[in-house]
Amino acid sequence: LFWNPNYEYVKLCQIHYVAMRTKAFCKNANVPVILCGDFNSQPKSYVHRYLTTGSVNAKGVAPWYAHYHQRRMKDEESQNNEGDKNMQELSSDVTADLNKIHISEDPSNKSAEQNKVRYILDYTLNRFCRWMRILGLDAALETDEEEIQRTKYGNMILFQRCREEGRTLVTTSSRLLQRKDCPPGAYLLDTKSLSNLESTLVHLLLSHGIKLEPNKMLSRCVVCNGSIEPVFEEERKQQIFESHQAPDGLNDEILDVYQCDGCSQGYWWCEKPTSSASRVKTQATRLLEICISGGVEVDSDLGMFSFVDVEKIKNKSSEDSEEPSYMKQDLDVVRWLKTENLTNPLRGMTSAYAVESTGEESLPFTNVTSCFVGHLDYILYQREFMKVAGLLYVPKTFEELNDLDIANGHVLPSCFWPSDHLAVGSHLVWPDAGTSDDAIVHSSALPQSLSMETKTLWCMPTNTEPEPQREPISEEPQPVATAPSLLSPGQPENAKNHGQRCLCGCVPPIPSLFQMAELRKQARLKQAPIT
């Protein structure tokens, strides 16, 4: 799956697509399914929960919902505060540290207010931003100074505001989306659609599952995006009129007076058709009708727009087939991310290395680098069809990885562990295939004792004959003189003696990176002409 940890929603959509295609491939029959590989997702992530529990609230990982940004900032703060501490403790007892890692809660119980989408638009979308504010949406706009810093000096204050304020970026610049530090979930407005911004507005609201609330329209300042509050004191009303150079006698025609709590911009409501307030209401009504005709969900409380016939507009739009081609696109991934109960068609799967009693993963890591330690690789099977008969040994501490006992010797790849990911393996059997439950060793036994005596029959000696010795590659001493063992020196002696190809089915002895480089060097020397 996709590697970037900031794009969890991409990985969730990928694995949901894989699950659906797998189910379709099986033609809905009860065929056992095994999923294995590098999922680039840690335990209790949305991808992991989707596979093991059977369903997740996809809204919780969609980047345009507010609680996604709240969860991400909370995760980053927790990792920054405890990251160094966890890295140190991992070297002695990695398993215990897993209980200290912050895991975000499922947002299914979050209030509806936290599902509000907050936007920030680049400087070129001033008009589009005003429309969104008229509809009552929280839409910030890039300032003149921020636009200069971005275009002339490459200072991405726009990206910084996205992360700090939890906003979704809306832009016309495809180059911004190509940047590595671009926030996830950015919405790109095609320049071809700028001639029809109304349809683009509808497409944006549909993509993000926005539900308009007409009773909250005209509640945001079109100048600064602040909240418009009513003014009741007569003295303040007169100050607003004077500061905005209102004509004399206007107070007799005014019904209500408002003021922005951000920039102090004054607003007043007047029923005269020629007033600016009436023109703004006409524009708001037009935008609301466009959104209704485009299929945007609207709250039943219409407020001051109660005169709008919602059903009539919907019926008329269904008869009108003329709409832009991009409006007809109903992307599956967008629909999935608006689902509160995204279900795995393969039903809940079980990780081979999970503890049977709790379901917790027993491996603290499968990938170790200088800046990352995590469990990313899994073997997932359907427990109703299969059982675990044995597991491939995987080290659980940095000491087991650092066979040479050198500085940073635990970092992968190394001479004994020639890949940046540790190999995981499992023997899966059908219970009705002549295997008794007594002969099956479940993964719940792993955390208590890695030696497990000899019950697993996994990576154990298949015969008593000594392993044949390899001829030395060269007379000079090499960094690694023998092929790497699948088991570290800390494991039982009777679990280390493999033949050239172990009959238990595990990975055969593989030359390390250093040995392979030396073999290539020797091959080049043999091919070189003798002078």
Side-chain angles (χ1 to χ4, degrees), residues 27-68:
K27 298 181 179 180
N28 298 321
N30 290 328
V31 178
V33 174
I34 301 173
L35 297 178
C36 54
D38 178 8
F39 290 84
N40 276 317
S41 302
Q42 298 206 60
K44 296 188 179 180
S45 65
Y46 275 79
V47 171
H48 186 269
R49 295 207 317 255
Y50 169 84
L51 290 169
T52 57
T53 65
S55 65
V56 292
N57 181 357
K59 283 188 174 182
V61 75
W64 44 81
Y65 289 113
H67 52 67
Y68 165 81

Side-chain angles (χ1 to χ4, degrees), residues 80-94:
N80 291 336
N81 293 337
E82 300 184 8
D84 295 338
K85 178 181 177 181
N86 287 342
M87 285 292 290
Q88 294 175 358
E89 294 180 352
L90 272 171
S91 61
S92 59
D93 189 1
V94 183

